[in-house]
Amino acid sequence: YRSNFENIISGGSGFGSLVTVTGNVEGPSNIKIFNTNVTDSNGESAIHLDESTRLTVNTSRFGRHTGNYGVILAQTTNVALFASEFTNNIAYVTGGVITTRGTLLTSQCTYTNNTGGLGGGIYSEGDSVESIGCVFSSNKAIIGGGDIFAANIKAINSKFDNSFSLDGGSIWSTSFLEIRECSFQNNTADKGASIYLDRSAGGTIHRGNFSNILASEGTVYMSSDTNLKI
């Protein structure tokens, strides 16, 4: 609470440079981070959470973390991020900010100039990702999902601009996508400069605003067997 961490380095595999919670802890763990600044950390992740852990981050800033899995690596974890900023973070494998296999809620957060292998901001193999009132700007993914790569994605009143990926310049969904009152501007990809729906995925777009989009194959790209209502 109201702490500052700078130049934090971890050389161990499977450990966070700031916080590590392992499966050796009996019962569920609760981690709460409030009004905290973390800059120039290095390691597989800054926060590594094993099973049965719940994480809440509020009004905090994370910048310039470098590692394989982003600022947060959450294994089967429920994560809630509120009014926080994530800037200039780099992940070589998955999400530039967070890699999760649980449920993620992000509200009133900003994701700026982050880079990941899959999901420049967020990568999820879990139940769902929900973004409410967030801003994603100038994020980049090497393979897919410049801002978000996940199965089930719900985005409400969020902004996605100036993001880039090979496919899915902003969002790559592998299952179900719900977009409500979101804007997409100046995003770039070969397929789906704003949205890429993988095969058998589906969803709805309601009151979306798309402008200044650059793509070889569509602002919204749908693979085979997809169903989308606009």
Side-chain angles (χ1 to χ4, degrees):
Y1 179 73
R2 291 187 176 178
S3 299
N4 293 290
F5 298 86
E6 188 174 0
N7 295 320
I8 309 298
I9 299 173
S10 173
S13 176
F15 297 98
S17 55
L18 178 64
V19 175
T20 299
V21 179
T22 70
N24 296 325
V25 178
E26 293 185 3
S29 301
N30 291 285
I31 307 296
K32 297 181 179 180
I33 299 174
F34 290 86
N35 297 319
T36 294
N37 298 320
V38 181
T39 56
D40 296 306
S41 57
N42 188 291
E44 282 201 345
S45 61
I47 301 171
H48 179 102
L49 305 176
D50 216 326
E51 298 178 5
S52 302
T53 308
R54 292 184 290 269
L55 172 68
T56 302
V57 177
N58 203 323
T59 54
S60 296
R61 295 179 177 88
F62 294 83
R64 299 192 300 273
H65 175 81
T66 302
N68 286 331
Y69 302 107
V71 174
I72 301 168
L73 173 59
Q75 309 276 9
T76 61
T77 304
N78 294 326
V79 177
L81 310 176
F82 301 104
S84 295
E85 300 176 9
F86 303 91
T87 307
N88 297 321
N89 301 290
I90 298 173
Y92 299 118
V93 179
T94 50
V97 172
I98 181 169
T99 296
T100 176
R101 295 183 175 91
T103 299
L104 171 63
L105 169 64
T106 175
S107 177
Q108 306 297 323
C109 293
T110 61
Y111 300 79
T112 307
N113 200 35
N114 302 289
T115 301
L118 286 168
I122 296 169
Y123 173 83
S124 173
E125 297 176 358
D127 297 329
S128 64
V129 172
E130 184 171 1
S131 169
I132 302 174
C134 293
V135 176
F136 295 81
S137 181
S138 302
N139 300 300
K140 179 174 69 174
I142 305 304
I143 299 173
D147 295 312
I148 302 174
F149 186 107
N152 298 301
I153 303 170
K154 178 187 286 186
I156 302 171
N157 194 29
S158 296
K159 297 179 180 180
F160 303 85
D161 64 71
N162 294 297
S163 297
F164 169 83
S165 182
L166 178 62
D167 293 326
S170 288
I171 292 175
W172 182 314
S173 171
T174 62
S175 182
F176 189 82
L177 174 68
E178 180 180 350
I179 300 292
R180 286 195 287 159
E181 298 182 330
C182 294
S183 64
F184 296 81
Q185 295 181 323
N186 303 311
N187 302 304
T188 305
D190 285 345
K191 297 179 180 179
S194 296
I195 296 169
Y196 185 104
L197 290 177
D198 212 339
R199 63 180 59 190
S200 300
T204 61
I205 299 175
H206 177 66
R207 299 185 68 180
N209 183 12
F210 299 82
S211 61
N212 298 324
I213 304 298
L214 179 61
S216 298
E217 298 185 40
T219 298
V220 178
Y221 180 89
M222 296 184 293
S223 188
S224 60
D225 300 323
T226 55
N227 294 286
L228 180 65
K229 182 179 179 181
I230 300 177

